[in-house]
Amino acid sequence: MDRRTFISGGAIAAATVATACGETGQENTGPAAPAVNRGVTRLRMVTTWPANFPGLGTAANNVADYINRMSGGSLEVRVYAAGEIVSAFEAFDAVSEGTADMYHGAEYYWQGKSPAFNYFTAVPFGMTAYEIMGWVEYGGGQALWDELSGGFNIKPFQAGNSGHQMGGWFKREINTLDDFQGLRMRIPGLGGNVLRELGGAAVTLSGGEIYPALQNGTIDATEWVGPWNDLAFGFYREAPFYYGPGFHEPGACLSVGINRGVWDGLADDHKAIIASACRTANNLSLAEFQYQNALALDVLLNEHGVQLRHFSDEIWEQIGTISEQVVADTGNADPFTRQVYDSYLDARDKMRGWGRISELPYMAQRERVLGG
């Protein structure tokens, strides 16, 4: 497994390097060539993804690679997949406590620590990928995120986005609201809360646990990401009905979190390189998902006979009503989460106004003119 990488930027004073290496888990290569003499700061990144998994696991690798190349090797990140050091859902605690230096994951996995984390991945009927990028970068989202994660000794960044996700794979058709009764579905975050209100049973599983659960009947359905990632996991072999679009993750932001002590110990140029690497990974991952999903959908439909389905308007209306209530209930859980919720809604509604006269009518007219 060759997933080492990290940053550049020029020489660091010896004292600074010694401090940084001590804080970031420098690997001991023996007295003949200690890392401090080479001016290298080594960081360990744990992830919530299977090793090298397309789009998700590779986004983490890309962050590390960008950092390494931009720094000329003075920063070096080694990536560990879920389970190699800690399990997927232990990544946050590992970084918070200093067991690892940084993670790559999805913030809604940490909703047990604060419901506010949901807003920095995706919420039902929430922002699209470009909208959440706009909110975080320019609408006050980053400052709120810094405050939230800072309470857990972590500095956060956007570092990937899957774009709009599909509604999921189902072993049976979903034609009416009654079909959700008793449905056991892998769906995390607030989307899981919506499913429970519909009468289903939401199950949280890491990526590597989903296919076996679908295969042995532990779950009846699963959402994951979209055609590219779903094809890689082979869900079509167990659940023939593929529903889209999804309501729960219209633009799922992925993230990097860095231990605050590690971050504070870095030189300013290294901080700038990490921030730039995360932005690069964020932008390119969205482009990659957009293109690869199109190719994978063609394979699923034309080579594997997947049956593409859409939820009815009745289902959408009920999901919309429930979603707004679930998101509001979550947003009012505590005073700080209310700040995040208010900021999120304000940004969403402003950007909806622009989208209503730009992308939405354009896409409708393009489809009308060009046809199927």
Side-chain angles (χ1 to χ4, degrees):
M1 180 187 334
D2 184 14
R3 291 173 292 158
R4 301 170 49 193
T5 33
F6 228 60
I7 17 202
S8 89
I12 311 174
T16 302
V17 174
T19 300
C21 289
E23 290 175 342
T24 58
Q26 168 188 332
E27 294 180 3
N28 187 357
T29 58
V36 64
N37 290 341
R38 298 197 305 270
V40 176
T41 298
R42 293 194 173 98
L43 304 174
R44 294 165 297 169
M45 178 193 288
V46 293
T47 81
T48 61
W49 322 117
N52 300 313
F53 191 77
L56 301 175
T58 57
N61 297 345
N62 289 340
V63 172
D65 181 56
Y66 300 147
I67 290 171
N68 178 60
R69 287 189 286 143
M70 292 166 69
S71 70
S74 61
L75 282 170
E76 181 181 293
V77 178
R78 182 169 182 179
V79 180
Y80 296 88
E84 290 185 335
I85 293 181
V86 295
S87 69
F89 298 139
E90 293 174 326
F92 184 93
D93 285 341
V95 173
S96 177
E97 296 164 4
T99 304
D101 304 306
M102 55 199 305
Y103 68 74
H104 191 277
E107 299 293 273
Y108 62 11
Y109 288 155
W110 331 131
Q111 65 174 318
K113 299 183 181 299
S114 170
F117 279 113
N118 285 287
Y119 298 94
F120 297 100
T121 299
V123 299
F125 274 66
M127 294 188 194
T128 65
Y130 291 114
E131 288 171 342
I132 196 169
M133 290 165 67
W135 173 55
V136 172
E137 293 282 5
Y138 296 103
Q142 186 67 58
L144 289 166
W145 196 5
D146 285 343
E147 184 176 353
L148 173 63
S149 292
F152 299 92
N153 198 36
I154 288 173
K155 165 64 179 174
F157 293 96
Q158 295 183 96
N161 200 301
S162 67
H164 203 114
Q165 297 199 0
M166 288 290 280
W169 297 86
F170 295 78
K171 292 187 175 183
R172 63 177 187 266
E173 290 186 90
I174 304 296
N175 295 316
T176 70
L177 290 166
D178 289 341
D179 292 326
F180 286 102
Q181 295 297 318
L183 182 78
R184 297 165 299 175
M185 182 176 182
R186 184 272 179 188
I187 179 169
L190 298 188
N193 292 1
V194 173
L195 180 69
R196 294 182 187 99
E197 292 295 323
L198 290 168
V203 180
T204 300
L205 299 171
S206 64
E209 299 173 308
I210 300 174
Y211 188 88
L214 201 61
Q215 187 176 44
N216 65 30
T218 302
I219 56 176
D220 309 308
T222 185
E223 64 79 47
W224 178 232
V225 181
W228 183 30
N229 283 176
D230 295 358
L231 174 63
F233 266 156
F235 295 139
Y236 63 89
R237 291 191 290 265
E238 303 298 330
F241 301 107
Y242 197 26
Y243 278 80
F247 68 90
H248 57 301
E249 296 186 40
C253 176
L254 310 178
S255 56
V256 158
I258 303 175
N259 176 276
R260 190 74 208 194
V262 171
W263 175 255
D264 290 343
L266 294 172
D268 287 345
D269 60 339
H270 280 180
K271 289 179 179 179
I273 287 168
I274 291 175
S276 180
C278 288
R279 284 194 176 101
T280 300
N282 195 55
N283 293 335
L284 291 182
S285 74
L286 182 56
E288 186 177 32
F289 270 104
Q290 185 75 4
Y291 188 73
Q292 295 295 343
N293 276 337
L295 301 184
L297 180 62
D298 184 70
V299 172
L300 287 169
L301 297 180
N302 296 312
E303 296 183 22
H304 297 299
V306 167
Q307 300 181 56
L308 192 61
R309 295 287 189 272
H310 303 286
F311 297 121
S312 69
D313 287 348
E314 177 195 18
I315 289 174
W316 270 106
E317 288 164 9
Q318 184 66 7
I319 285 174
T321 299
I322 294 173
S323 293
E324 286 297 276
Q325 188 60 55
V326 164
V327 172
D329 289 346
T330 302
N332 286 284
D334 59 75
F336 181 77
T337 301
R338 180 58 190 258
Q339 291 182 50
V340 175
Y341 170 68
D342 287 344
S343 175
Y344 185 98
L345 283 192
D346 179 64
R348 185 192 69 173
D349 290 345
K350 285 174 179 174
M351 287 183 280
R352 280 179 61 206
W354 165 235
R356 193 177 297 122
I357 65 167
S358 58
E359 288 191 40
L360 186 62
Y362 167 72
M363 295 295 283
Q365 291 297 337
R366 188 175 72 176
E367 290 306 297
R368 184 186 67 82
V369 173
L370 299 183

